[in-house]
């Protein structure tokens, strides 16, 4: 036997089906086989009445613990299926908080980039100032190189003559 391992299932209680439940299921199965597709057509025709479908929901046997205990939870929302005729396709879809924040973030980024390209943000002004300084340094370095080049050419021309 492994140390500290999982225990076996040998001591568990057995669960037996209720004979009345078995009889009811067998009777329903026989009726379904006997009727075949007729029952399905009846369901479709009765499904068109709103009042009858609501009555079926109320009279429907609740499975599990729901049938035993009445639950009055104000936070519990029962899922009601909507019919195709009730759906409004043209209604605006409500976005989740994350989707809304993501769209706002994207719009803010686009707005910032637009201002940045126009040179209206602090960072854009700093970048433009830095570029102006670099441009001036490069121009000065170019002038200095040109001056040295001319001096060197002047010396070379004097030495040749």
């Amino acid at each position: 036997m492994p140390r500290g391992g999982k225990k076996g299932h040998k001591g568990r209680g057995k669960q037996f089906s209720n004979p009345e439940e078995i009889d009811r299921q067998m009777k329903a199965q026989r009726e379904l086989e006997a009727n075949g597709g007729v029952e399905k057509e009846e369901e479709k025709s009765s499904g068109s009445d709103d009042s009858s479908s609501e009555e079926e929901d109320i009279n429907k046997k609740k499975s599990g613990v729901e049938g035993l205990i009445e639950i009055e939870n104000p936070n519990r929302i029962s899922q009601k299926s909507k019919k195709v005729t009730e759906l409004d396709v043209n209604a605006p879809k409500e976005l989740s908080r994350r989707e809304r924040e993501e769209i706002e973030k994207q719009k803010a980024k686009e707005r910032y980039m637009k201002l940045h390209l126009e040179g209206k943000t602090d960072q854009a002004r700093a970048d433009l100032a830095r570029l102006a300084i670099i441009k001036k340094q490069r121009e000065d370095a170019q002038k200095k190189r040109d001056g040295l080049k001319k001096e060197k050419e002047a010396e070379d021309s004097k030495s040749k003559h």
Side-chain angles (χ1 to χ4, degrees):
M1 184 169 161
R3 299 169 89 191
K6 297 179 182 174
K7 306 252 178 175
H9 63 277
K10 293 183 179 179
R12 266 193 221 150
K14 307 282 190 276
Q15 291 186 348
F16 298 102
S17 300
N18 188 0
E20 296 160 1
E21 180 69 23
I22 294 172
D23 290 341
R24 189 184 60 75
Q25 288 177 352
M26 289 176 63
K27 187 185 283 185
Q29 184 69 24
R30 280 190 215 120
E31 288 176 7
L32 185 69
E33 290 174 359
N35 293 341
V38 176
E39 187 174 317
K40 292 179 182 176
E41 292 176 11
E42 290 175 4
E43 289 178 14
K44 289 180 182 176
S45 64
S46 67
S48 62
D49 279 345
D50 292 341
S51 61
S52 65
S53 63
E54 290 174 6
E55 290 173 5
E56 288 175 5
D57 292 340
I58 294 170
N59 294 334
K60 184 175 74 170
K61 182 180 177 186
K62 296 179 180 178
S63 62
V65 182
E66 292 179 6
L68 302 174
I69 304 170
E70 274 299 314
I71 301 172
E72 293 187 26
N73 185 352
N75 297 327
R76 185 168 185 262
I77 302 170
S78 61
Q79 295 291 331
K80 295 182 180 177
S81 58
K82 293 184 177 181
K83 296 182 180 178
V84 178
T85 56
E86 294 174 0
L87 289 176
D88 188 11
V89 180
N90 298 331
K93 181 185 170 194
E94 293 184 21
L95 300 173
S96 67
R97 178 184 56 82
R98 285 185 181 161
E99 291 172 339
R100 237 181 302 125
E101 287 176 356
E102 187 176 322
I103 290 171
E104 289 173 8
K105 187 177 180 182
Q106 193 175 12
K107 286 182 180 178
K109 189 174 183 180
E110 289 173 5
R111 212 177 313 117
Y112 179 80
M113 288 306 292
K114 183 180 175 186
L115 290 173
H116 187 75
L117 291 173
E118 292 173 2
K120 294 182 179 179
T121 61
D122 293 336
Q123 187 178 1
R125 289 187 194 116
D127 289 345
L128 291 173
R130 198 177 316 117
L131 285 172
I133 292 170
I134 291 170
K135 200 180 254 186
K136 187 172 183 180
Q137 288 174 349
R138 287 181 181 167
E139 287 174 3
D140 293 343
Q142 185 66 35
K143 286 179 184 177
K144 192 174 183 182
R145 276 183 291 202
D146 289 342
L148 290 173
K149 198 174 191 183
K150 286 181 181 178
E151 286 179 17
K152 194 172 187 182
E153 286 177 4
E155 287 178 16
D156 286 342
S157 62
K158 285 183 184 179
S159 63
K160 284 184 180 180
H161 288 286

